[in-house]
Amino acid sequence: MTTNRMEAFSDGVIAIIITIMVLELKVPHEATVSALRPVAPVFLSYLLSFVFLGIYWSNHHHMLQVCEHVDGRVLWANLHLLFWLSLTPFVTAWLGENNFTALPAALYGLVLLFAAIAYYILARALVRLHGSDSLIAIALGKDFKGKISIVIYLLAIPLSFIRSWLACALYVMVAVMWLIPDRRIEKTIVH
Amino acid sequence: MTTNRMEAFSDGVIAIIITIMVLELKVPHEATVSALRPVAPVFLSYLLSFVFLGIYWSNHHHMLQVCEHVDGRVLWANLHLLFWLSLTPFVTAWLGENNFTALPAALYGLVLLFAAIAYYILARALVRLHGSDSLIAIALGKDFKGKISIVIYLLAIPLSFIRSWLACALYVMVAVMWLIPDRRIEKTIVH
Amino acid sequence: MTTNRMEAFSDGVIAIIITIMVLELKVPHEATVSALRPVAPVFLSYLLSFVFLGIYWSNHHHMLQVCEHVDGRVLWANLHLLFWLSLTPFVTAWLGENNFTALPAALYGLVLLFAAIAYYILARALVRLHGSDSLIAIALGKDFKGKISIVIYLLAIPLSFIRSWLACALYVMVAVMWLIPDRRIEKTIVH
Amino acid sequence: MTTNRMEAFSDGVIAIIITIMVLELKVPHEATVSALRPVAPVFLSYLLSFVFLGIYWSNHHHMLQVCEHVDGRVLWANLHLLFWLSLTPFVTAWLGENNFTALPAALYGLVLLFAAIAYYILARALVRLHGSDSLIAIALGKDFKGKISIVIYLLAIPLSFIRSWLACALYVMVAVMWLIPDRRIEKTIVH
C-alpha cells in the first residue's frame, strides 16, 4: 500500500478542520468596534489552533515523505490522530468564548495531549513497519520535541485550574518550539 | 477510466462528512462541567460515527486498490454510497441529542443499513466490471462481514423500539467486528 | 497547463457543496415522528440537489478525461460554473423549507439554468482550446442534452408561479434524463 | 520536497473557504421577495469574495507550475497566506450584513491587504529558494500588479471611513485588474 491516499485523506481532513474553525467566529450584527470586541478572544484561540494544525500538517507531511508504504495499523493510527485533531474546533471555540478560563483551558490542553500521543503512536507504527534502520526511524530519532510537548501538556492541564493564562502561555510555548522547522528529517534526506 | 478521480472525490466527501459532524457538538456558553454535560452523549454518537466512517474509508481504500478501472455504473454506485454516508451527521446529531432513544436509534440503524447495502452494490458493480476471476472478486470472496452486518442492522432497527440501548450496542458490535482489519484483500495482493 | 489541479480543485468544491447541504437538514429537538416531519421536504430537495451535483461531477469527470490541457480562459469558465453550483445549498434549503412553493421553485430553476449555461460555456472553451477536430469536440457533438436542459429550465421558471409542483417535476425530468450515462464520450474513447 | 502536497492542501483549504462562505447566506423563512431582500447585499459581498479567492487560487496555480520544489520556509509562507484567506468568510459576512458600511469595509480591506502581503512573502520565498535566474523569478518579474494592489488597499482602508462605497469600488477595481489573466507566467513558459 502506498502512502498517497492516506496523505490525501489526511490533507483533506486537516484542511477542513482548519477552515471550519473560522465558522466559530460569530459575525456580529452591528458594524461597531464594541460589537467586534467579543470576537477578539475567539480570534486569538483560532490563531493558536491554526498554528497547531499547521504544525501537525507540516510534520505529517515531513514524516510521510520518508515513508514508502503503510498498512492497516498505520491507517488506523492516522485516523486516531485525525479524531483528536477534529475536536480542535470545539475546544478552540469554548476556550475563546470563555476568555481562556480554567476548565476550557484544561480541556484544550487535554485534546492537545491526546493528539500528541496519537502522533507518537503513528510515528511508532511507521517505524515498526519500516524497520529500526529505516530512514523514518533515523529521521525521528529520539523524538525529543514530541516527548517534551507531552510533558508540558501534562503540566499545563492541572495548572489551568490555578493560573489558566499560564497554561495557555505553555501551549503557545509548545507551538513556538515546533515552529522551528523539523530539520532532523530534512537532514536525513540530504545525507 | 482510471480509479484516481473517483477515489479523490470519495476521499473528499468522506473527509468532509467526518469533519462537519463535529459542528454538531454545540459549544456551551458557560465554562462549567454542568454546561459540558449535555455534550457528552453527542460526543459518544460522534465517536461511533467517526469509527464507522473510518471503516468505510479504510475498506473503500482497500477495495479500490485491487481495481484497475471504473465505468459509469460504478461512479453512480459510489455516489449512491456517498449519499447514505452524507446523512450520517444528521442521524448522529439526532441520536446524541436525544440520549440514544428509540426513534433516533432506529433511524441511525436505517442509514447504516442503506450505507451497507450501497457498499454491497458498489462491490458487485466492481466485480461485474472486472470479471469473476479478477483480483477484486477473489479479494471480496463471500463477503461474510458485509452480509452479517446487514443482518445485524435488520435486527437492531426493530429492537430500537424495545430496548434502544441494545440496538446501539449492536451497532458498536458491528463497528468492532470491522475494526479487525480486512486481511482478505491484503492476503490476495501478497499471493 | 495540465488538467490535474483544475480537476482536483473542482472535485474539492463539488464534494464540499454536496456535503454542506446536509447541514440544512436541521436536527429536530424531540425524538418523535412529528418532529421529524418538517425535515421531509428539505430531505427531498436535498436528494434532488445531490443527484444534480452528482451529474455535474460525473459529466465534468467525463469531459475532462478527453482533454489534454487547460488555459486561463478554461480556469475561469470552470470557476464560473463552480460559482453557480455553490449557490445550490442556499436554493435547496429555501425550496425545501417552503414546501416547493412558487418563488423558491423559480429561484432553484434559475440557479440550475445559470449552472447549465456555465457548463455550456466551459465545454465551448475546451473545444476552442483543443480544436474542432479534437476528441472533446467530437465527444460533445451537438450537445443535445445540454441544450434541451436549458430549454426545460426556461419553461419551468415561469411555470413555477402557476404550478410550482409542475416546475419541480420538470427539474426531476432533467435529472432523470442525465442519469442515463453520457455514452457519447465513452464511445468516442473506444473508437 | 515536491510541490504536490502543498498544492493539494492549498486547493483543499481554498475550496472549503470558497464554499463555506455560502453558509453565511442565511436562508429566509418565508417564500417572498421581501424575505429575500436582506440576502442581496450578502450575495454581492459573496460574489466579490468568490472572485478574490478564484484569483488567489488561479495565481497560486500559475506560480507553483514554474516551481520545482518547496522547503519549510515556503510551507509556512503558504500557511500564512491561507490564514488570511481563511478570514474571508468572516469579513465577507460582516460586510454584507451591514450593507458595505465603514468599519466592515475597512476590515475587509485589511484582510485583503494582509493576504496580498502574505502572497508577496510566499512569492519571495519561492524566488529565494529557486534563485534569481530561475523561471519563477523571471515569471514574477517586478510584480507590478501585486505592488499596486497593496497600494490601493492602503488607500481604501482609511477611505472606508469617509466614503465606504468608494473603498468597495476600489476593491472591485483590484479584482477586475487581476481578472485579466497573468500572461507573464504563461509567456515565460512558452519562451
Side-chain angles (χ1 to χ4, degrees):
Chain A
M1 261 191 264
T2 58
T3 62
N4 288 354
R5 204 174 162 189
M6 193 181 95
E7 284 185 283
F9 185 72
S10 307
D11 280 2
V13 171
I14 297 176
I16 300 155
I17 295 171
I18 224 170
T19 320
I20 62 170
M21 271 198 301
V22 92
L23 291 176
E24 300 295 349
L25 289 175
K26 304 292 178 207
V27 180
H29 290 299
E30 279 143 61
T32 59
V33 173
S34 64
L36 207 58
R37 205 161 297 150
V39 180
V42 187
F43 176 77
L44 281 183
S45 66
Y46 171 60
L47 176 59
L48 181 60
S49 294
F50 190 98
V51 171
F52 267 114
L53 285 162
I55 290 165
Y56 271 104
W57 176 74
S58 171
N59 288 348
H60 195 267
H61 178 102
H62 276 81
M63 186 162 71
L64 283 165
Q65 269 197 315
V66 286
C67 291
E68 278 147 34
H69 45 277
V70 296
D71 61 359
R73 186 189 302 267
V74 168
L75 284 190
W76 279 100
N78 192 55
L79 278 166
H80 177 233
L81 170 63
L82 294 177
F83 176 74
W84 292 109
L85 294 181
S86 81
L87 295 177
T88 313
F90 177 78
V91 292
T92 302
W94 205 38
L95 184 67
E97 279 178 26
N98 290 287
N99 280 292
F100 301 86
T101 44
L103 196 61
L107 198 71
Y108 190 85
L110 205 70
V111 167
L112 287 181
L113 173 68
F114 282 121
I117 293 171
Y119 192 84
Y120 183 84
I121 293 172
L122 173 61
R124 289 306 120 192
L126 284 164
V127 167
R128 191 188 146 132
L129 182 67
H130 289 79
S132 59
D133 54 350
S134 61
L135 261 183
I136 173 77
I138 298 159
L140 283 169
K142 303 209 170 170
D143 195 15
F144 177 72
K145 278 209 264 186
K147 284 171 190 162
I148 199 83
S149 302
I150 290 175
V151 170
I152 295 176
Y153 296 145
L154 284 171
L155 283 172
I157 293 166
L159 194 62
S160 301
F161 296 100
I162 306 164
R163 292 277 182 280
S164 69
W165 64 266
L166 213 65
C168 296
L170 286 176
Y171 304 148
V172 172
M173 212 183 81
V174 174
V176 168
M177 182 183 83
W178 279 103
L179 274 178
I180 303 157
D182 204 332
R183 301 236 174 268
R184 285 175 302 169
I185 288 176
E186 287 188 39
K187 271 181 195 156
T188 313
I189 301 172
V190 171
H191 297 301
Chain B
M1 259 191 267
T2 58
T3 61
N4 288 355
R5 203 175 160 187
M6 193 181 95
E7 284 184 283
F9 185 72
S10 308
D11 280 2
V13 171
I14 297 175
I16 300 155
I17 295 171
I18 226 171
T19 319
I20 63 170
M21 271 198 302
V22 92
L23 291 176
E24 300 295 349
L25 289 175
K26 303 291 179 209
V27 180
H29 289 299
E30 280 144 61
T32 59
V33 173
S34 65
L36 208 58
R37 205 162 295 149
V39 181
V42 187
F43 177 75
L44 281 183
S45 67
Y46 171 61
L47 177 59
L48 182 60
S49 295
F50 190 98
V51 171
F52 267 114
L53 285 162
I55 290 164
Y56 272 105
W57 175 74
S58 171
N59 288 349
H60 195 267
H61 179 103
H62 275 81
M63 185 163 71
L64 283 165
Q65 270 198 316
V66 286
C67 291
E68 278 147 34
H69 46 278
V70 296
D71 62 358
R73 186 188 303 267
V74 169
L75 284 189
W76 279 99
N78 192 56
L79 278 166
H80 177 233
L81 171 63
L82 294 178
F83 176 74
W84 291 110
L85 293 181
S86 82
L87 295 177
T88 313
F90 177 78
V91 292
T92 302
W94 206 38
L95 184 67
E97 279 179 25
N98 289 286
N99 281 292
F100 301 86
T101 44
L103 196 61
L107 197 71
Y108 190 85
L110 206 71
V111 167
L112 287 181
L113 174 67
F114 281 122
I117 294 171
Y119 193 84
Y120 183 84
I121 294 172
L122 173 61
R124 290 305 120 194
L126 283 165
V127 167
R128 191 188 145 132
L129 181 67
H130 290 80
S132 59
D133 54 351
S134 60
L135 261 183
I136 172 77
I138 298 159
L140 283 169
K142 302 208 169 173
D143 194 15
F144 176 72
K145 278 209 264 187
K147 283 171 190 161
I148 199 82
S149 302
I150 290 174
V151 171
I152 296 176
Y153 296 145
L154 284 171
L155 283 172
I157 294 166
L159 194 63
S160 301
F161 296 99
I162 305 164
R163 292 278 182 278
S164 68
W165 65 267
L166 213 66
C168 295
L170 285 177
Y171 303 148
V172 172
M173 211 184 80
V174 174
V176 169
M177 182 182 83
W178 279 102
L179 273 179
I180 304 156
D182 204 333
R183 302 234 173 269
R184 286 174 303 169
I185 289 177
E186 285 187 41
K187 272 180 194 156
T188 313
I189 299 172
V190 171
H191 299 299
Chain C
M1 260 192 267
T2 59
T3 62
N4 288 355
R5 202 174 161 189
M6 193 181 94
E7 284 184 282
F9 185 72
S10 307
D11 280 2
V13 171
I14 298 175
I16 299 156
I17 295 170
I18 225 170
T19 319
I20 63 170
M21 272 198 300
V22 93
L23 291 176
E24 300 294 350
L25 289 176
K26 302 291 177 210
V27 180
H29 290 298
E30 279 143 62
T32 60
V33 173
S34 65
L36 207 57
R37 204 162 296 151
V39 180
V42 187
F43 177 75
L44 282 182
S45 67
Y46 172 60
L47 177 58
L48 182 59
S49 294
F50 190 99
V51 171
F52 267 114
L53 285 162
I55 290 165
Y56 271 104
W57 176 74
S58 171
N59 288 348
H60 194 267
H61 179 102
H62 276 81
M63 186 163 71
L64 282 166
Q65 270 198 316
V66 286
C67 290
E68 280 147 34
H69 45 277
V70 296
D71 61 358
R73 188 189 303 267
V74 168
L75 285 189
W76 278 99
N78 192 56
L79 279 166
H80 178 232
L81 170 63
L82 294 177
F83 176 75
W84 292 109
L85 294 181
S86 81
L87 295 177
T88 314
F90 177 79
V91 293
T92 302
W94 205 38
L95 185 66
E97 279 178 26
N98 289 287
N99 281 291
F100 301 86
T101 43
L103 196 60
L107 198 70
Y108 189 86
L110 205 71
V111 167
L112 287 180
L113 173 67
F114 281 121
I117 293 172
Y119 192 83
Y120 183 84
I121 293 172
L122 173 61
R124 288 309 119 192
L126 283 164
V127 167
R128 191 187 144 132
L129 182 66
H130 289 80
S132 58
D133 54 351
S134 61
L135 262 182
I136 173 77
I138 297 158
L140 283 168
K142 302 209 168 171
D143 194 15
F144 177 72
K145 279 210 265 187
K147 283 171 190 159
I148 200 82
S149 302
I150 290 174
V151 170
I152 296 176
Y153 296 145
L154 284 171
L155 284 172
I157 293 165
L159 194 62
S160 301
F161 297 99
I162 306 165
R163 292 276 182 281
S164 68
W165 64 267
L166 214 66
C168 295
L170 285 177
Y171 304 147
V172 172
M173 212 183 80
V174 173
V176 169
M177 182 182 82
W178 279 103
L179 273 180
I180 304 157
D182 203 333
R183 303 235 173 269
R184 285 175 303 168
I185 287 177
E186 287 188 40
K187 271 180 193 157
T188 312
I189 299 171
V190 171
H191 298 300
Chain D
M1 261 191 266
T2 59
T3 62
N4 288 355
R5 203 174 160 190
M6 192 180 96
E7 284 184 282
F9 184 72
S10 308
D11 280 2
V13 171
I14 297 176
I16 299 155
I17 295 171
I18 225 170
T19 320
I20 62 170
M21 272 198 301
V22 93
L23 292 176
E24 299 295 349
L25 290 175
K26 303 291 177 209
V27 180
H29 290 298
E30 281 144 60
T32 59
V33 173
S34 65
L36 207 58
R37 204 162 297 149
V39 180
V42 187
F43 176 76
L44 282 183
S45 67
Y46 172 61
L47 176 59
L48 181 59
S49 294
F50 190 98
V51 171
F52 267 114
L53 285 162
I55 290 165
Y56 271 105
W57 176 74
S58 171
N59 288 347
H60 195 266
H61 179 103
H62 275 80
M63 186 163 71
L64 283 166
Q65 270 198 315
V66 286
C67 291
E68 279 147 34
H69 45 277
V70 296
D71 60 0
R73 187 189 302 266
V74 168
L75 285 189
W76 279 100
N78 192 55
L79 279 165
H80 178 232
L81 171 63
L82 294 177
F83 176 74
W84 291 110
L85 294 181
S86 81
L87 295 177
T88 314
F90 177 78
V91 292
T92 302
W94 205 38
L95 184 67
E97 279 178 28
N98 289 287
N99 281 291
F100 301 86
T101 43
L103 196 60
L107 198 70
Y108 189 85
L110 206 70
V111 167
L112 287 181
L113 173 67
F114 282 122
I117 293 171
Y119 192 83
Y120 182 84
I121 293 171
L122 173 61
R124 288 307 119 192
L126 284 164
V127 167
R128 192 187 145 132
L129 182 66
H130 289 79
S132 59
D133 54 350
S134 61
L135 262 183
I136 173 76
I138 297 159
L140 283 168
K142 302 209 171 170
D143 194 16
F144 177 72
K145 279 210 264 186
K147 283 171 189 161
I148 200 83
S149 301
I150 290 174
V151 170
I152 296 176
Y153 296 145
L154 284 171
L155 283 172
I157 293 166
L159 194 62
S160 301
F161 297 99
I162 306 164
R163 292 277 182 280
S164 68
W165 64 267
L166 213 65
C168 296
L170 285 177
Y171 303 148
V172 172
M173 212 183 81
V174 173
V176 169
M177 182 182 82
W178 279 103
L179 274 179
I180 304 157
D182 204 333
R183 301 235 174 270
R184 284 175 303 169
I185 288 176
E186 287 188 39
K187 271 181 195 157
T188 312
I189 300 172
V190 171
H191 299 300

